[in-house]
Amino acid sequence: MFVPCERGGGAASSDFKGFTLLVPAVSVGNVGQLAIDLVISTLNMTKVGYFYTDCLVPMVGNNPYATAEENSVELSINAEVYSLPSKKLVVLQIRSPFIKNKYRPFCQALLSWVKSSKCARVILLSSSHAYQRDDEQLLGTPLRYLLTPDLEKAVGGLMQELKWKEMEKVAAYPGINDSEKVLHIPGGGITKLLFTESCSKGIQMAVLLKFCSEGDNIPDAFALVNYLNEWLQLIKSEVNTSSQWKIPSSWRLLFGNGLPPALF
């Protein structure tokens, strides 16, 4: 459930009617979470609350978007909500993995909040194992999208104009029955479950994902957030859009550079 914080404006911070909600899937390479980091940091979004749940591994750390010593000691937890009313944008950042068998309860809680907060649509940023692509998925761009039927009516034409490539369905039984196709997102975490639940509940949801491998996934995050920006125009587009995104201070610790003294 959503718990507003005082700094975000109390009760007013929970009013997201007509907003677009960005959510990362905890998926291969943590690409969605890294992309969300770039959005929050670049747009200087305000933390307005927390998403209280027992479905995620508990964690606490210092402020991942610290800009000075004064705000570096602020604490952050495993699921926090940030808002930017001027762009009608709200973001749920997830910072820890799911507890075993807790995928479905989390999806139900999240979609219940989406309905109660009256968000207009949800965009899930995700990733999938590059090595498990079929022959068709090996062609062209490594970026894909999915739209629920309710959102397809609203933005399907725009996706065609952008020449985006929809996530292909693959054979359910390769080599045995190639005519039966299913949606398969290996390494995608909650992606498939959240998407199918949104379809059945009439929620407008888009999935934007990138095929990738584990390793240094910063380039994948930039590719995914630039993909998102083609649609939402969060920042002004230029030839080299990556240079316009602000890298958060916490990324200095991605490869074990030691803990910041302010944490102690």
Side-chain angles (χ1 to χ4, degrees), residues 151-207:
L151 187 56
E152 174 78 40
K153 298 172 186 175
V155 302
L158 175 60
M159 302 310 178
Q160 299 300 320
E161 291 177 20
L162 292 172
K163 297 182 180 178
W164 280 13
K165 200 166 185 179
E166 189 173 4
M167 182 68 172
E168 301 90 346
K169 291 186 176 181
V170 300
Y173 306 100
I176 300 174
N177 181 3
D178 292 333
S179 62
E180 185 179 346
K181 301 283 187 176
V182 295
L183 183 62
H184 186 50
I185 309 176
I190 64 170
T191 305
K192 182 178 177 179
L193 176 60
L194 196 57
F195 179 74
T196 53
E197 286 290 308
S198 296
C199 288
S200 64
K201 294 180 184 296
I203 291 174
Q204 294 193 17
M205 172 178 281
V207 175

Coordinates of all heavy atoms in Angstrom, one line a residue, residues 151-207:
L151 N -4.9 0.2 -23.8 CA -3.9 1.2 -24.2 C -3.7 1.2 -25.7 O -3.4 2.2 -26.3 CB -2.6 1.0 -23.4 CG -1.6 2.1 -23.6 CD1 -2.2 3.5 -23.2 CD2 -0.3 1.8 -22.7
E152 N -3.8 0.0 -26.3 CA -3.6 -0.1 -27.7 C -4.6 0.8 -28.5 O -4.2 1.5 -29.5 CB -3.9 -1.6 -28.1 CG -3.9 -1.8 -29.6 CD -2.5 -1.9 -30.2 OE1 -1.6 -2.5 -29.6 OE2 -2.3 -1.3 -31.3
K153 N -5.8 1.0 -28.0 CA -6.8 1.9 -28.6 C -6.3 3.3 -28.6 O -6.6 4.1 -29.5 CB -8.1 1.7 -27.9 CG -8.7 0.4 -28.0 CD -10.0 0.3 -27.1 CE -10.5 -1.1 -27.0 NZ -11.7 -1.2 -26.1
A154 N -5.6 3.7 -27.5 CA -5.2 5.1 -27.4 C -3.9 5.4 -28.1 O -3.7 6.5 -28.6 CB -5.0 5.4 -25.9
V155 N -2.9 4.5 -28.0 CA -1.5 4.9 -28.5 C -1.0 3.9 -29.6 O 0.2 4.1 -30.0 CB -0.5 5.0 -27.3 CG1 -1.0 6.0 -26.3 CG2 -0.3 3.6 -26.7
G156 N -1.8 3.0 -30.0 CA -1.3 2.0 -31.0 C -0.8 2.7 -32.2 O 0.2 2.3 -32.8
G157 N -1.5 3.7 -32.7 CA -1.1 4.4 -33.9 C 0.2 5.1 -33.7 O 1.0 5.1 -34.7
L158 N 0.5 5.7 -32.6 CA 1.7 6.3 -32.3 C 2.9 5.4 -32.4 O 4.0 5.7 -32.9 CB 1.7 7.0 -30.9 CG 3.0 7.7 -30.4 CD1 3.4 8.8 -31.4 CD2 2.8 8.2 -29.0
M159 N 2.7 4.2 -31.8 CA 3.8 3.2 -31.9 C 4.1 2.8 -33.3 O 5.3 2.6 -33.7 CB 3.4 1.9 -31.1 CG 3.0 2.1 -29.7 SD 4.3 3.1 -28.8 CE 3.6 3.3 -27.2
Q160 N 3.1 2.8 -34.2 CA 3.4 2.5 -35.6 C 4.2 3.7 -36.2 O 5.1 3.5 -37.0 CB 2.0 2.4 -36.3 CG 1.2 1.2 -35.9 CD 1.9 -0.2 -36.0 OE1 2.6 -0.4 -37.0 NE2 1.8 -1.0 -35.0
E161 N 3.8 4.9 -35.9 CA 4.6 6.1 -36.4 C 6.0 6.1 -35.9 O 6.9 6.5 -36.7 CB 3.9 7.4 -35.9 CG 2.5 7.7 -36.5 CD 1.9 8.9 -35.9 OE1 2.6 9.8 -35.4 OE2 0.6 9.1 -36.1
L162 N 6.2 5.7 -34.7 CA 7.6 5.6 -34.1 C 8.4 4.4 -34.7 O 9.6 4.3 -34.5 CB 7.6 5.5 -32.6 CG 7.1 6.7 -31.8 CD1 6.9 6.4 -30.4 CD2 8.0 7.9 -32.0
K163 N 7.7 3.5 -35.4 CA 8.3 2.3 -36.0 C 8.9 1.4 -35.0 O 9.9 0.8 -35.2 CB 9.3 2.7 -37.1 CG 8.7 3.5 -38.2 CD 9.8 3.8 -39.3 CE 9.1 4.6 -40.5 NZ 10.1 4.9 -41.5
W164 N 8.2 1.3 -33.8 CA 8.6 0.4 -32.8 C 8.2 -1.0 -33.1 O 7.3 -1.3 -33.9 CB 7.9 0.8 -31.5 CG 8.6 2.0 -30.8 CD1 9.6 2.8 -31.3 CD2 8.4 2.4 -29.4 NE1 9.9 3.8 -30.4 CE2 9.2 3.6 -29.2 CE3 7.6 2.0 -28.4 CZ2 9.3 4.2 -28.0 CZ3 7.6 2.7 -27.2 CH2 8.4 3.8 -27.0
K165 N 8.9 -1.9 -32.5 CA 8.7 -3.3 -32.8 C 8.0 -4.0 -31.6 O 8.6 -4.0 -30.5 CB 10.1 -4.0 -33.1 CG 10.0 -5.3 -33.8 CD 11.3 -5.7 -34.4 CE 11.2 -7.0 -35.3 NZ 12.5 -7.4 -35.8
E166 N 6.9 -4.6 -31.8 CA 6.2 -5.3 -30.8 C 6.8 -6.6 -30.4 O 7.4 -7.3 -31.2 CB 4.7 -5.5 -31.2 CG 3.8 -6.0 -30.1 CD 2.4 -6.1 -30.5 OE1 2.1 -5.9 -31.7 OE2 1.5 -6.4 -29.6
M167 N 6.8 -6.9 -29.1 CA 7.4 -8.2 -28.6 C 6.7 -9.4 -29.3 O 5.5 -9.5 -29.2 CB 7.2 -8.3 -27.1 CG 7.8 -9.5 -26.5 SD 9.6 -9.5 -26.5 CE 10.0 -10.9 -25.5
E168 N 7.5 -10.2 -29.9 CA 7.0 -11.3 -30.6 C 6.6 -12.5 -29.7 O 7.2 -12.7 -28.6 CB 8.0 -11.9 -31.6 CG 8.5 -10.9 -32.7 CD 9.7 -10.1 -32.2 OE1 10.0 -10.1 -31.0 OE2 10.4 -9.4 -33.0
K169 N 5.5 -13.2 -30.1 CA 5.2 -14.4 -29.3 C 6.0 -15.5 -29.9 O 6.4 -15.5 -31.1 CB 3.7 -14.7 -29.4 CG 2.8 -13.7 -28.7 CD 1.4 -14.1 -28.7 CE 0.6 -13.2 -27.8 NZ -0.9 -13.6 -27.8
V170 N 6.3 -16.5 -29.1 CA 7.2 -17.6 -29.6 C 6.4 -18.9 -29.5 O 5.4 -19.0 -28.9 CB 8.5 -17.7 -28.8 CG1 9.3 -16.5 -28.9 CG2 8.2 -18.0 -27.3
A171 N 6.9 -20.0 -30.2 CA 6.2 -21.3 -30.2 C 6.2 -21.9 -28.8 O 7.2 -21.9 -28.1 CB 7.0 -22.2 -31.2
A172 N 5.0 -22.3 -28.4 CA 4.9 -22.9 -27.1 C 5.6 -24.2 -27.0 O 6.2 -24.6 -26.0 CB 3.4 -23.1 -26.8
Y173 N 5.7 -25.0 -28.1 CA 6.4 -26.3 -28.2 C 7.2 -26.3 -29.4 O 6.9 -26.9 -30.4 CB 5.4 -27.4 -28.2 CG 4.4 -27.4 -27.0 CD1 3.1 -26.9 -27.2 CD2 4.7 -27.8 -25.8 CE1 2.2 -26.8 -26.2 CE2 3.8 -27.7 -24.7 CZ 2.6 -27.2 -24.9 OH 1.6 -27.1 -23.9
P174 N 8.4 -25.6 -29.4 CA 9.3 -25.5 -30.5 C 9.6 -26.9 -31.1 O 10.0 -27.9 -30.4 CB 10.6 -24.9 -30.0 CG 10.1 -24.2 -28.8 CD 9.0 -25.0 -28.2
G175 N 9.5 -27.0 -32.4 CA 9.8 -28.3 -33.1 C 8.7 -29.3 -33.1 O 8.8 -30.3 -33.8
I176 N 7.7 -29.1 -32.2 CA 6.6 -30.0 -32.1 C 5.3 -29.4 -32.6 O 4.6 -30.0 -33.5 CB 6.4 -30.5 -30.6 CG1 7.7 -31.1 -30.1 CG2 5.2 -31.4 -30.5 CD1 7.6 -31.5 -28.6
N177 N 5.0 -28.2 -32.1 CA 3.9 -27.5 -32.6 C 4.2 -26.0 -32.7 O 4.1 -25.3 -31.7 CB 2.7 -27.7 -31.7 CG 1.4 -26.9 -32.2 OD1 1.4 -26.3 -33.2 ND2 0.4 -27.0 -31.4
D178 N 4.7 -25.6 -33.9 CA 5.1 -24.2 -34.0 C 4.0 -23.2 -34.3 O 4.2 -22.0 -34.3 CB 6.1 -24.1 -35.2 CG 7.4 -24.8 -34.9 OD1 7.8 -24.9 -33.7 OD2 8.1 -25.2 -35.8
S179 N 2.8 -23.7 -34.4 CA 1.6 -22.8 -34.7 C 1.0 -22.2 -33.4 O 0.4 -21.1 -33.5 CB 0.5 -23.6 -35.4 OG 0.0 -24.7 -34.6
E180 N 1.2 -22.8 -32.3 CA 0.7 -22.3 -31.0 C 1.8 -21.4 -30.4 O 2.9 -21.8 -30.1 CB 0.4 -23.4 -30.0 CG -0.2 -22.9 -28.8 CD -0.5 -24.1 -27.8 OE1 -0.5 -25.2 -28.2 OE2 -0.8 -23.8 -26.6
K181 N 1.4 -20.1 -30.4 CA 2.3 -19.0 -29.9 C 2.0 -18.5 -28.5 O 0.8 -18.4 -28.2 CB 2.3 -17.9 -30.9 CG 2.7 -18.2 -32.3 CD 4.2 -18.4 -32.5 CE 4.6 -18.6 -34.0 NZ 6.0 -18.7 -34.2
V182 N 3.0 -18.2 -27.7 CA 2.8 -17.7 -26.4 C 3.7 -16.6 -26.1 O 4.8 -16.4 -26.8 CB 3.0 -18.8 -25.3 CG1 1.9 -19.9 -25.4 CG2 4.4 -19.4 -25.4
L183 N 3.4 -15.7 -25.1 CA 4.3 -14.6 -24.7 C 5.3 -15.2 -23.8 O 4.9 -15.8 -22.8 CB 3.5 -13.5 -24.0 CG 4.2 -12.3 -23.6 CD1 4.8 -11.6 -24.8 CD2 3.3 -11.3 -22.8
H184 N 6.6 -15.0 -24.1 CA 7.6 -15.6 -23.3 C 8.7 -14.5 -23.0 O 9.3 -14.0 -24.0 CB 8.3 -16.8 -24.0 CG 9.3 -17.5 -23.2 ND1 9.1 -18.0 -21.9 CD2 10.6 -17.9 -23.6 CE1 10.2 -18.6 -21.5 NE2 11.1 -18.6 -22.4
I185 N 8.9 -14.2 -21.7 CA 9.8 -13.1 -21.4 C 10.8 -13.7 -20.3 O 10.7 -13.4 -19.1 CB 9.1 -11.9 -20.8 CG1 8.0 -11.4 -21.8 CG2 10.1 -10.7 -20.6 CD1 7.2 -10.3 -21.3
P186 N 11.8 -14.5 -20.7 CA 12.7 -15.1 -19.8 C 13.6 -14.0 -19.1 O 14.1 -13.1 -19.8 CB 13.6 -16.0 -20.7 CG 13.4 -15.5 -22.1 CD 12.0 -14.9 -22.1
G187 N 13.7 -14.1 -17.8 CA 14.5 -13.1 -17.1 C 13.8 -11.9 -16.8 O 14.3 -10.9 -16.3
G188 N 12.5 -11.8 -17.1 CA 11.7 -10.6 -17.0 C 11.0 -10.4 -15.7 O 10.3 -9.4 -15.5
G189 N 11.2 -11.3 -14.7 CA 10.6 -11.1 -13.4 C 9.1 -11.1 -13.4 O 8.5 -12.0 -14.0
I190 N 8.5 -10.0 -12.9 CA 7.0 -9.9 -12.8 C 6.4 -9.4 -14.1 O 5.2 -9.3 -14.2 CB 6.6 -8.9 -11.7 CG1 7.1 -7.5 -12.0 CG2 7.1 -9.4 -10.3 CD1 6.5 -6.4 -11.1
T191 N 7.2 -9.2 -15.2 CA 6.7 -8.6 -16.4 C 5.5 -9.3 -17.0 O 4.5 -8.6 -17.2 CB 7.8 -8.5 -17.5 OG1 9.0 -7.8 -16.9 CG2 7.4 -7.7 -18.7
K192 N 5.6 -10.5 -17.3 CA 4.5 -11.2 -17.9 C 3.3 -11.3 -17.0 O 2.2 -11.0 -17.5 CB 5.0 -12.7 -18.3 CG 3.9 -13.4 -19.0 CD 4.3 -14.8 -19.5 CE 3.2 -15.6 -20.1 NZ 3.7 -17.0 -20.5
L193 N 3.5 -11.6 -15.8 CA 2.3 -11.7 -14.8 C 1.6 -10.3 -14.7 O 0.4 -10.3 -14.8 CB 2.8 -12.1 -13.5 CG 1.8 -12.2 -12.4 CD1 0.6 -13.1 -12.7 CD2 2.4 -12.6 -11.0
L194 N 2.4 -9.2 -14.6 CA 1.8 -7.9 -14.4 C 1.1 -7.5 -15.7 O 0.0 -6.9 -15.6 CB 2.9 -6.9 -14.0 CG 2.4 -5.6 -13.5 CD1 1.5 -5.8 -12.2 CD2 3.6 -4.7 -13.1
F195 N 1.6 -7.8 -16.8 CA 1.0 -7.5 -18.1 C -0.3 -8.2 -18.3 O -1.3 -7.6 -18.7 CB 2.0 -7.8 -19.2 CG 1.4 -7.4 -20.6 CD1 1.3 -6.1 -21.0 CD2 1.0 -8.5 -21.5 CE1 0.8 -5.8 -22.3 CE2 0.5 -8.2 -22.7 CZ 0.4 -6.9 -23.1
T196 N -0.3 -9.5 -18.1 CA -1.5 -10.3 -18.3 C -2.6 -10.0 -17.3 O -3.8 -9.9 -17.7 CB -1.2 -11.8 -18.2 OG1 -0.5 -12.1 -16.9 CG2 -0.3 -12.3 -19.3
E197 N -2.2 -9.7 -16.1 CA -3.2 -9.2 -15.1 C -3.8 -7.9 -15.5 O -5.0 -7.7 -15.3 CB -2.5 -9.1 -13.7 CG -2.2 -10.4 -13.0 CD -3.5 -11.1 -12.5 OE1 -4.3 -10.5 -11.9 OE2 -3.6 -12.3 -12.9
S198 N -3.0 -7.0 -16.0 CA -3.5 -5.7 -16.5 C -4.4 -5.8 -17.6 O -5.5 -5.1 -17.7 CB -2.3 -4.8 -16.9 OG -1.5 -4.5 -15.8
C199 N -4.2 -6.8 -18.5 CA -5.1 -7.1 -19.6 C -6.4 -7.5 -19.1 O -7.5 -7.0 -19.6 CB -4.4 -8.1 -20.5 SG -3.0 -7.6 -21.5
S200 N -6.4 -8.4 -18.2 CA -7.7 -8.9 -17.7 C -8.5 -7.9 -16.8 O -9.7 -8.0 -16.7 CB -7.4 -10.2 -16.8 OG -6.7 -9.9 -15.7
K201 N -7.8 -7.0 -16.2 CA -8.4 -6.0 -15.3 C -8.8 -4.7 -16.1 O -9.3 -3.8 -15.5 CB -7.6 -5.7 -14.1 CG -7.4 -6.9 -13.2 CD -6.5 -6.5 -12.0 CE -6.2 -7.7 -11.1 NZ -7.4 -8.3 -10.5
G202 N -8.5 -4.6 -17.4 CA -8.8 -3.4 -18.1 C -7.9 -2.2 -17.8 O -8.3 -1.1 -18.0
I203 N -6.7 -2.5 -17.3 CA -5.8 -1.4 -17.0 C -4.9 -1.0 -18.2 O -4.4 -1.9 -18.9 CB -4.9 -1.8 -15.8 CG1 -5.8 -1.9 -14.5 CG2 -3.7 -0.8 -15.6 CD1 -5.1 -2.4 -13.3
Q204 N -4.7 0.2 -18.5 CA -3.9 0.7 -19.6 C -2.4 0.5 -19.2 O -1.9 1.3 -18.3 CB -4.2 2.1 -20.0 CG -5.5 2.3 -20.5 CD -5.7 3.7 -21.2 OE1 -4.8 4.4 -21.5 NE2 -7.0 4.1 -21.4
M205 N -1.7 -0.5 -19.8 CA -0.3 -0.7 -19.4 C 0.5 -0.9 -20.7 O 0.1 -1.6 -21.6 CB -0.1 -1.9 -18.5 CG 1.3 -2.3 -18.3 SD 1.6 -3.7 -17.2 CE 1.4 -2.9 -15.6
A206 N 1.7 -0.4 -20.7 CA 2.7 -0.6 -21.7 C 3.9 -1.2 -21.1 O 4.3 -0.9 -19.9 CB 3.1 0.7 -22.4
V207 N 4.5 -2.2 -21.7 CA 5.8 -2.8 -21.3 C 6.9 -2.3 -22.3 O 6.7 -2.5 -23.5 CB 5.8 -4.3 -21.3 CG1 7.1 -4.9 -20.9 CG2 4.7 -4.8 -20.2

